[in-house]
């Protein structure tokens, strides 16, 4: 079993839709949970992060962590074509980030 | 430059040849990471350098892989006797460490070196 599991998609939605991206993880020691966004043929970039359980909102993006169920979510409201990218969840371990496989999102105009 | 710089951006090699991939991190960043991303896969951790500490090599997939970081700055990832399964994008990232020495989760990635082994 991988430490971090993520549905690879692809996920295709119409512009303006609410998108839900999810990961599960197995290591209960994880405390920080990052979401990275990766455009085609580019390196990933940090989108936002959450510490421990709870929600964090940043504009149209909301990150949510439920440590009791080891479940990580990213919600995108009013999705835009520019949101089309691969989204990678990445809990922070003692040495480095452990990345999920990424979910490819396509927002159709 | 302002960001992490990697070279070459693309490398095509024949099976059995050695390759070297270079990473120039952001100035002042003490931590440097190498990850590998195969087609349709997530990022696989390879190696981590932090300041003057011994590197964490626990992610290197075989003894054909090695990396060094000279002068706390530029890093080179070397793959000896390349195999077709080594074909992937090799991503380098750097970050600032916290005052405690702990990692932060904010990594700044280069655009990667795309390796194709024929």
């Amino acid at each position: 079993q991988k430490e971090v599991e993520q549905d690879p998609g692809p996920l295709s939605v119409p512009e303006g839709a609410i998108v839900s991206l999810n990961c599960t993880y197995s290591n209960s020691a994880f405390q920080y949970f990052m979401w990275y966004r990766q455009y085609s043929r580019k390196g990933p970039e940090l989108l936002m992060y959450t510490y421990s359980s709870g929600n964090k909102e940043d504009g149209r993006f909301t990150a949510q962590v439920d440590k009791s169920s080891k479940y990580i979510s990213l919600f995108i409201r009013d999705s835009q074509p520019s949101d089309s990218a691969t989204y990678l969840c990445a809990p922070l371990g003692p040495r480095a980030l452990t990345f999920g496989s990424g979910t490819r999102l396509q927002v159709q105009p | 430059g302002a960001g992490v710089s990697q070279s070459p951006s693309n490398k095509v090699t024949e099976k059995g040849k050695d390759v070297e991939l270079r990473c120039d991190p952001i100035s002042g960043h003490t931590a440097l990471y190498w990850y590998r991303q195969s087609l349709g896969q997530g990022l696989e951790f390879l190696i981590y350098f932090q300041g003057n500490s011994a590197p964490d090599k626990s992610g290197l997939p075989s003894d054909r892989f090695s990396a060094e970081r000279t002068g706390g700055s530029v890093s080179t990832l070397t793959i000896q006797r390349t195999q077709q399964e080594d074909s992937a994008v090799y991503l380098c990232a750097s970050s600032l460490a916290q005052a405690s020495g702990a990692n932060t989760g904010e990594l700044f990635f280069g655009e990667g070196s795309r390796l194709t082994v024929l």
Side-chain angles (χ1 to χ4, degrees):
Chain A
Q1 182 189 8
K2 291 183 180 179
E3 270 194 297
V4 181
E5 299 276 3
Q6 187 173 6
D7 186 340
L11 183 62
S12 183
V13 300
E15 183 175 353
I18 297 174
V19 176
S20 172
L21 305 168
N22 307 293
C23 293
T24 58
Y25 64 94
S26 57
N27 189 341
S28 57
F30 290 143
Q31 293 287 348
Y32 287 89
F33 302 88
M34 276 55 186
W35 282 95
Y36 277 75
R37 178 174 60 194
Q38 185 176 24
Y39 290 111
S40 180
R41 294 189 171 264
K42 298 290 187 182
E45 57 180 358
L46 180 65
L47 184 61
M48 60 190 305
Y49 73 92
T50 309
Y51 173 70
S52 193
S53 282
N55 291 358
K56 185 173 183 179
E57 189 173 318
D58 184 359
R60 296 183 295 109
F61 298 86
T62 300
Q64 191 173 77
V65 176
D66 182 346
K67 292 195 72 179
S68 63
S69 59
K70 298 189 179 67
Y71 199 78
I72 313 166
S73 299
L74 178 70
F75 300 97
I76 307 174
R77 292 186 300 281
D78 187 25
S79 55
Q80 302 295 309
S82 58
D83 297 329
S84 298
T86 297
Y87 291 81
L88 302 119
C89 61
L92 178 61
R95 61 177 188 191
L97 295 169
T98 301
F99 283 87
S101 57
T103 299
R104 188 157 60 92
L105 172 67
Q106 184 71 36
V107 181
Q108 306 292 343
Chain B
V4 176
S5 178
Q6 291 189 246
S7 61
S9 55
N10 282 285
K11 176 72 176 178
V12 180
T13 191
E14 294 179 347
K15 177 181 173 180
K17 301 283 190 182
D18 297 352
V19 297
E20 285 190 353
L21 308 176
R22 175 188 167 102
C23 173
D24 201 341
I26 293 172
S27 178
H29 280 192
T30 57
L32 186 147
Y33 305 79
W34 283 98
Y35 283 86
R36 176 169 73 175
Q37 187 172 32
S38 301
L39 187 63
Q41 301 297 311
L43 278 69
E44 175 189 4
F45 168 78
L46 296 178
I47 189 169
Y48 160 56
F49 297 89
Q50 173 60 280
N52 295 321
S53 302
D56 179 346
K57 305 179 182 180
S58 58
L60 294 178
S62 78
D63 59 8
R64 295 187 296 104
F65 289 73
S66 63
E68 62 177 21
R69 188 179 185 190
T70 54
S73 181
V74 171
S75 177
T76 302
L77 178 69
T78 301
I79 309 173
Q80 295 178 309
R81 304 181 302 283
T82 51
Q83 303 295 310
Q84 288 183 332
E85 61 263 29
D86 299 334
S87 296
V89 177
Y90 289 82
L91 289 158
C92 175
S94 68
S95 73
L96 286 168
Q98 297 179 25
S100 64
N103 302 328
T104 75
E106 186 172 18
L107 273 59
F108 295 83
F109 283 87
E111 295 199 343
S113 291
R114 185 173 299 271
L115 174 66
T116 303
V117 182
L118 301 177

